[in-house]
Amino acid sequence: MAFAWTKSEVGLVLTEENIREALNKILEPPLALFSLQVQNRKNHTLIEVSLDRLDSPTGSASLEDCETISARLNEELASYGDDFLYTLQVASCGAERELRLPADLKRFQGLLAKLEIDEDGGTKDKKIFRILETTEESVRLEPFDRNKKKKRVEPISISISSITKGNLFLEL
């Protein structure tokens, strides 16, 4: 399927949908699209691609993965002529990536995550936990404290719906 170009007052415009279609042709497992942002500006477009590596413990794509996808997408974009001015950035979603809830809680069991949790009274609490086990509605978490690594902390169970956002957390 080809790109659908549209004429505008500032020249050619390529939509996010068109770029997403091109990426779907290019990306092969274990690589997947994590996020895509397309910002059309006057006479220039910024394309930001974030990759997920499905076979990586943290979902991080390698530098080689990013270079390969960048080159292949540049080839696709170049085949439509020189009238389209763009900047392409291809990166990994990273080892401290945003979690897509609730699926990533299961995917990243055993890893540390910084979670924002809705508590009674409408407050939000951010803490670091090790993800132990997930079910359809709840998750067992072990609170993490850098200063008390040797002290055993009792796991807690919370409703998945009480987690408003989260990121993987690297223990250095």
Side-chain angles (χ1 to χ4, degrees):
M1 181 177 275
F3 289 114
W5 297 98
T6 58
K7 282 280 191 183
S8 74
E9 293 175 7
V10 295
L12 296 174
V13 174
L14 187 60
T15 67
E16 182 175 324
E17 181 181 329
N18 299 134
I19 296 169
R20 191 174 300 274
E21 288 174 15
L23 284 165
N24 286 337
K25 288 191 313 187
I26 293 168
L27 291 172
E28 296 175 1
L31 289 176
L33 181 64
F34 184 77
S35 67
L36 171 64
Q37 290 187 339
V38 179
Q39 298 175 24
N40 286 308
R41 300 172 178 166
K42 186 176 180 180
N43 298 325
H44 183 261
T45 299
L46 175 61
I47 304 166
E48 296 175 307
V49 177
S50 183
L51 300 175
D52 186 3
R53 186 163 182 102
L54 302 174
D55 64 351
S56 167
T58 59
S60 298
S62 69
L63 181 59
E64 183 179 324
D65 293 332
C66 296
E67 289 172 344
T68 300
I69 297 306
S70 179
R72 291 183 69 194
L73 186 54
N74 267 320
E75 287 173 12
E76 284 284 326
L77 295 174
S79 69
Y80 293 94
D82 296 332
D83 294 337
F84 183 59
L85 299 176
Y86 65 91
T87 299
L88 175 61
Q89 297 175 352
V90 178
S92 171
C93 58
E96 290 194 338
R97 64 180 291 143
E98 178 182 345
L99 295 176
R100 294 188 170 159
L101 302 169
D104 280 349
L105 292 172
K106 185 169 215 130
R107 178 178 174 191
F108 297 115
Q109 280 184 174
L111 298 182
L112 293 173
K114 185 175 189 176
L115 303 176
E116 182 178 278
I117 301 169
D118 272 337
E119 294 191 339
D120 294 335
T123 61
K124 294 183 188 288
D125 190 22
K126 288 184 183 180
K127 290 184 181 172
I128 300 168
F129 299 94
R130 185 166 310 280
I131 305 167
L132 298 178
E133 181 181 2
T134 61
T135 66
E136 293 292 319
E137 296 180 13
S138 67
V139 60
R140 261 184 72 230
L141 303 167
E142 182 178 72
F144 177 75
D145 185 353
R146 286 185 199 162
N147 300 324
K148 299 178 183 177
K149 288 182 184 177
K150 295 182 182 180
K151 183 180 177 186
R152 174 94 170 120
V153 180
E154 285 301 312
I156 61 170
S157 287
I158 63 168
S159 168
I160 289 175
S161 63
S162 67
I163 302 172
T164 56
K165 65 181 178 179
N167 291 75
L168 287 183
F169 182 83
L170 285 181
E171 178 183 5
L172 300 176

